[in-house]
Amino acid sequence: MSWKRMILRLGLIAMIVLSFYLSYLIWLNPSNKTGTNDLNTSQSNQAGSDKEASPRSLADVFLPLKLVSVSQSSAKETSSEVLIKKMVKTIESTKMTHPNVIEYPTLEAFNEKTQLKNGVELTLMNEMALSECINLFHLQLTLDQAIKEKDLKFDHAQIDYDSGTFRFLNSIKKTEVEATFEGNFDTIKTLLKDSEANWYTVVSDTSLISSQYLTNEPIKLKLYSYISSVQSYTIFRDSFFTNPSDAKSSDDSSDLMIVDQSEIMTVQTQDSLVEFRDTNVTDINDNLYKESYEYIRYLGTNYGNLRFMNRNGNAIDYRVFVEGYPVFSSNKEGLVATQFTKNRQSNSWSVRIDANMNTIQIPIPSDQTVELPASRQVLENLKNHGADLTKITAIVIGYKWNDIKDTGVVDLVPTWYINYDKQWKDHDSLVTELQESEGD
């Protein structure tokens, strides 16, 4: 064994030992087992400063997941957060006028008329109400009352250089809201040209999916390894509670409970799970995206790069992103799930938030890569296994959380994830599910 390899191994062992020691200090050290009053006294001092920390902006949290640049007959795609953020800022600063709603009789007519030949497409992976989008991103677009009453939603958007328009598109409802885009297209083209983003060649295949482009060649991505750690529950308390300094703690049982009026948080220390509930949420407006954002905005960088991933009714999920791709796991690692419920006997709402305190912290250098098949091939494979393509609303590369037993190390493995029947499933699990369904 070379001396360089020996040094690398010793360094890795040292980092793992440090990770376990820090976890011990947080959870097992008897000096931390103070009474309820001591907990409140010591932790309330830092609660105010945590709430004053700079939160992530709405635009950063709700960024589209993909950007596609289309020129003549070719298209290329990226998940670069830096580039997508710059594009969104450009859109925010551009005035849009004369919105017009177009409804198509068939999916074929919709696909034909909205096929982009020269411009930019942004993919959300999720339906969003147009009025909510305007509110979230402060778009310079005013809707008349007739359009507002239609309650229009969209799942991807386009800047069309040829027609000088911005389009909000819904492939499921076969609707389009088109507005004049008064921006400088040369500025946008320069932004794309000068970007250092990683691009993949993509194609449009509306016979498989209408809401996004597909890769036609295999993709190689890095396999990331991290040393994991358990975050202190105070990060979640300070972010979720209205007045963290007033919250009272009790660790009389195996679970830790923190309470303040209608707010209660349970911490399952053994499983590192956090559950927060508030049964009396008032002043809810018509934008639940903003309401859920208020709870997660102060989690900070310690928890990772948290971004909006999915909405299903009043349930809104956020996931940690690594290099522009979401992290998926079997035990809620990297996930913050919010669920709102309207109280029947009052005008208030209830909210439940679930999260896991396990996080990835220190990256371990590695050159290992994983080759994924083309997304077009993945969808064709699912179709051959009997998948109902109308139930597939999105396909995305995600990093699967894989704990390496007894090491404190997590591998993040590139994997295809499909939103099938309103649930995210990895490709292999979905194939198995389809095979079992076919057998039954």
Side-chain angles (χ1 to χ4, degrees):
M1 181 181 298
S2 69
W3 64 272
K4 289 184 179 180
R5 186 181 295 271
M6 177 64 75
I7 291 175
L8 183 60
R9 284 201 171 187
L10 289 174
L12 176 58
I13 291 171
M15 287 189 291
I16 293 174
V17 171
L18 177 61
S19 175
F20 282 121
Y21 175 67
L22 292 174
S23 297
Y24 165 80
L25 289 179
I26 294 172
W27 296 112
L28 302 179
N29 192 338
S31 64
N32 287 337
K33 296 294 185 178
T34 59
T36 298
N37 292 333
D38 291 337
L39 278 168
N40 287 315
T41 301
S42 63
Q43 288 158 9
S44 63
N45 293 333
Q46 64 186 18
S49 61
D50 288 340
K51 281 291 186 182
E52 293 169 6
S54 298
R56 298 199 69 208
S57 70
L58 272 167
D60 288 351
V61 172
F62 290 96
L63 283 178
L65 267 66
K66 294 184 179 181
L67 181 151
V68 179
S69 176
V70 183
S71 178
Q72 303 307 323
S73 59
S74 64
K76 57 182 182 178
E77 176 184 273
T78 183
S79 297
S80 168
E81 185 172 324
V82 173
L83 178 57
I84 294 174
K85 189 183 299 186
K86 290 179 180 179
M87 182 60 64
V88 169
K89 285 187 178 296
T90 300
I91 295 170
E92 285 178 345
S93 62
T94 302
K95 189 174 181 179
M96 290 182 253
T97 58
H98 307 102
N100 178 39
V101 180
I102 306 172
E103 299 178 4
Y104 295 93
T106 64
L107 184 58
E108 290 72 22
F110 171 85
N111 290 332
E112 180 182 351
K113 293 295 184 181
T114 61
Q115 182 63 54
L116 190 62
K117 296 180 176 63
N118 194 22
V120 176
E121 181 163 306
L122 294 164
T123 307
L124 292 178
M125 303 291 173
N126 189 84
E127 280 190 341
M128 179 180 286
L130 179 55
S131 58
E132 289 177 320
C133 177
I134 293 172
N135 189 248
L136 279 177
F137 294 100
H138 306 291
L139 300 183
Q140 298 186 44
L141 173 62
T142 302
L143 303 178
D144 58 38
Q145 191 60 34
I147 295 179
K148 288 180 180 179
E149 291 175 355
K150 289 180 177 290
D151 189 28
L152 297 163
K153 294 181 173 64
F154 71 103
D155 51 24
H156 58 299
Q158 296 175 346
I159 300 174
D160 191 325
Y161 298 151
D162 295 336
S163 62
T165 58
F166 194 99
R167 300 171 181 158
F168 300 90
L169 304 172
N170 188 317
S171 53
I172 298 175
K173 304 284 181 61
K174 303 181 290 294
T175 57
E176 168 190 357
V177 178
E178 184 180 76
T180 301
F181 190 73
E182 300 180 1
N184 188 323
F185 296 128
D186 288 335
T187 300
I188 294 175
K189 292 175 184 177
T190 301
L191 175 63
L192 296 173
K193 182 180 178 182
D194 294 343
S195 169
E196 297 180 357
N198 291 324
W199 296 92
Y200 301 104
T201 301
V202 290
V203 295
S204 174
D205 190 340
T206 55
S207 66
L208 294 172
I209 190 169
S210 297
S211 58
Q212 65 181 92
Y213 285 78
L214 300 173
T215 57
N216 211 20
E217 299 291 338
I219 296 176
K220 278 189 177 182
L221 286 173
K222 278 189 175 183
L223 184 152
Y224 288 96
S225 295
Y226 284 84
I227 294 176
S228 64
S229 68
V230 181
Q231 291 293 323
S232 171
Y233 71 88
T234 58
I235 292 176
F236 300 92
R237 181 206 59 189
D238 295 343
S239 184
F240 296 161
F241 278 82
T242 304
N243 298 300
S245 59
D246 296 336
K248 307 299 182 183
S249 304
S250 171
D251 57 354
D252 296 336
S253 65
S254 58
D255 294 339
L256 175 65
M257 297 187 68
I258 307 162
V259 181
D260 182 33
Q261 298 184 36
S262 63
E263 300 173 319
I264 181 170
M265 189 173 84
T266 304
V267 182
Q268 299 178 31
T269 54
Q270 193 69 24
D271 300 320
S272 301
L273 296 176
V274 171
E275 178 190 298
F276 171 85
R277 290 177 182 268
D278 187 353
T279 57
N280 188 30
V281 183
T282 57
D283 299 325
I284 289 276
N285 59 31
D286 59 354
N287 194 332
L288 286 183
Y289 290 104
K290 275 193 171 182
E291 298 299 333
S292 63
Y293 164 78
E294 290 300 322
Y295 287 98
I296 63 97
R297 63 191 297 207
Y298 290 106
L299 282 178
T301 56
N302 285 337
Y303 195 71
N305 181 18
L306 206 62
R307 288 171 58 186
F308 165 70
M309 181 66 194
N310 192 68
R311 178 174 180 177
N312 186 6
N314 292 338
I316 299 176
D317 292 345
Y318 300 86
R319 290 188 182 274
V320 170
F321 275 63
V322 173
E323 298 297 328
Y325 301 106
V327 173
F328 291 85
S329 69
S330 59
N331 195 34
K332 300 178 183 176
E333 288 96 347
L335 169 68
V336 178
T338 66
Q339 171 74 59
F340 290 86
T341 305
K342 184 76 166 65
N343 296 331
R344 295 181 178 179
Q345 298 178 345
S346 68
N347 290 325
S348 66
W349 290 66
S350 296
V351 64
R352 170 176 172 167
I353 306 175
D354 291 288
N356 192 307
M357 294 185 292
N358 288 332
T359 56
I360 50 176
Q361 289 289 301
I362 305 172
I364 300 172
S366 173
D367 293 326
Q368 188 175 350
T369 60
V370 173
E371 182 172 279
L372 295 177
S375 56
R376 189 177 191 177
Q377 179 184 336
V378 170
L379 292 188
E380 288 175 344
N381 183 46
L382 292 174
K383 179 182 178 181
N384 294 335
H385 279 90
D388 182 352
L389 295 182
T390 62
K391 294 182 178 181
I392 298 178
T393 56
I395 178 171
V396 65
I397 293 173
Y399 277 108
K400 179 182 284 188
W401 180 292
N402 183 21
D403 273 308
I404 308 302
K405 190 175 180 180
D406 299 327
T407 64
V409 175
V410 173
D411 280 346
L412 298 181
V413 185
T415 307
W416 280 115
Y417 282 86
I418 299 93
N419 195 316
Y420 188 78
D421 201 15
K422 298 183 180 180
Q423 290 187 342
W424 286 102
K425 304 174 186 290
D426 68 81
H427 172 257
D428 291 345
S429 297
L430 182 52
V431 168
T432 300
E433 185 180 307
L434 293 170
Q435 289 174 334
E436 291 174 351
S437 176
E438 189 177 34
D440 294 339

